Amino acid sequence: MGDAEETPQLTRRSRRTTKRRRRVSVLGVIGELLITVGVLAFLYVGWQLWLGDVIQGAQKNAAGSELSEQWAQAAETGSPTPDASASPEPTATTDADVSIPVLGQPDDAQEFAVMRVPRWGSDYMVPVAGGVTRARTLDPIGIGHYPGTQMPGETGNFAVAGHRTTYGKPFSDIETLRIGDAIVVETEAGWYTYRFRTLEYVKPTETSVLNATPQLDVAAGDAYITLTSCSPRWSMTERIVAYGVFESFTPREAGPPASLTEGIA
């Protein structure tokens, strides 16, 4: 009789224990899901901040290298490359009396040059295309040319823009430039060498940095280059602006200029 009386109590206790285990199990699953979501989010942020940039930066450098090789091969065979910009017209001469070709304004997203900065490594070769929209130029191609500003080697201001973070961040190291550093713009015609002069920080509304004569202690009537990017990193509250002064043009038939290897270990 005693055993029979204890059986219902044991059964009720067993049911309560089972319910508790089920509750614990559901909470455990939810917790594991939240942890998994957190890990995935962390991995995604890591991809965006580092690995994705590394991969996309390498892809853009490879695209620039390929474009440079196409121009070199075209020069050897004497045939122009497809989709080239308007035929250059000599408008000035260097100290060596070499005619400086000036290309016509490119179409939106049309690649016409490759930027090379020895300070940023021998493999830095980022394509330059017309326009500065993110969707068509800055994100997929790399560096964008402000429409209406001058072209490489032309009297006035050759102004370009590029990301400082994400999408390969071509201007990530803009603040590392030193006075006299070479900024070389390669086109099908040859290489335009500029020398870095100074940096400044301005508000996004300060469009005067795109003027034909930049905000420098320089004379009008010369050729300049202006690189713009966001500042600080991961913010758009300011713009970091790098200025350079045109030094020389080296025609393709003369071979790559010495400025391409300056400062490269």
Side-chain angles (χ1 to χ4, degrees):
M1 292 293 291
D3 291 343
E5 290 176 355
E6 292 177 0
T7 300
Q9 294 180 1
L10 292 174
T11 302
R12 286 195 293 272
R13 289 173 184 171
S14 176
R15 288 173 181 174
R16 283 198 297 269
T17 302
T18 302
K19 288 180 181 179
R20 288 196 197 99
R21 288 175 178 172
R22 287 176 179 173
R23 289 195 197 99
V24 171
S25 178
V26 171
L27 291 175
V29 170
I30 293 175
E32 290 177 0
L33 288 175
L34 291 175
I35 292 172
T36 301
V37 170
V39 170
L40 291 175
F42 178 79
L43 291 175
Y44 176 75
V45 171
W47 167 271
Q48 289 287 78
L49 296 182
W50 183 72
L51 187 57
D53 269 346
V54 171
I55 294 174
Q56 293 183 57
Q59 290 174 338
K60 287 177 171 57
N61 288 333
S65 177
E66 182 178 354
L67 190 56
S68 178
E69 291 176 2
Q70 289 178 5
W71 289 333
Q73 292 174 1
E76 291 177 358
T77 60
S79 58
T81 56
D83 301 324
S85 298
S87 300
E89 299 179 0
T91 60
T93 57
T94 64
D95 293 337
D97 292 330
V98 176
S99 295
I100 303 175
V102 176
L103 300 176
Q105 290 280 323
D107 293 332
D108 186 53
Q110 178 187 6
E111 297 179 14
F112 67 91
V114 173
M115 182 170 288
R116 307 178 67 173
V117 182
R119 170 71 61 189
W120 299 340
S122 59
D123 60 342
Y124 184 89
M125 302 177 68
V126 181
V128 184
V132 292
T133 62
R134 291 193 57 175
R136 287 182 54 79
T137 301
L138 300 185
D139 292 359
I141 297 174
I143 299 173
H145 169 253
Y146 285 97
T149 65
Q150 282 65 47
M151 295 297 286
E154 185 177 7
T155 298
N157 189 8
F158 173 55
V160 296
H163 286 307
R164 204 172 172 201
T165 55
T166 69
Y167 294 96
K169 52 185 180 184
F171 287 170
S172 173
D173 297 324
I174 190 171
E175 76 281 1
T176 67
L177 289 170
R178 300 176 186 174
I179 294 176
D181 276 352
I183 302 173
V184 184
V185 180
E186 180 182 1
T187 71
E188 185 173 11
W191 296 265
Y192 302 78
T193 297
Y194 293 83
R195 293 292 174 179
F196 171 71
R197 176 69 65 84
T198 189
L199 281 176
E200 76 168 337
Y201 296 84
V202 301
K203 294 296 184 183
T205 55
E206 190 61 71
T207 59
S208 61
V209 299
L210 306 180
N211 290 347
T213 303
Q215 300 179 136
L216 290 171
D217 184 18
V218 294
D222 288 332
Y224 308 99
I225 188 170
T226 297
L227 284 61
T228 68
S229 194
C230 293
S231 180
R233 294 178 186 272
W234 303 104
S235 175
M236 299 178 66
T237 56
E238 288 185 323
R239 295 288 184 270
I240 183 172
V241 185
Y243 298 108
V245 179
F246 179 71
E247 179 183 73
S248 63
F249 169 73
T250 304
R252 186 162 294 278
E253 56 269 22
S259 58
L260 283 177
T261 57
E262 291 178 357
I264 299 178

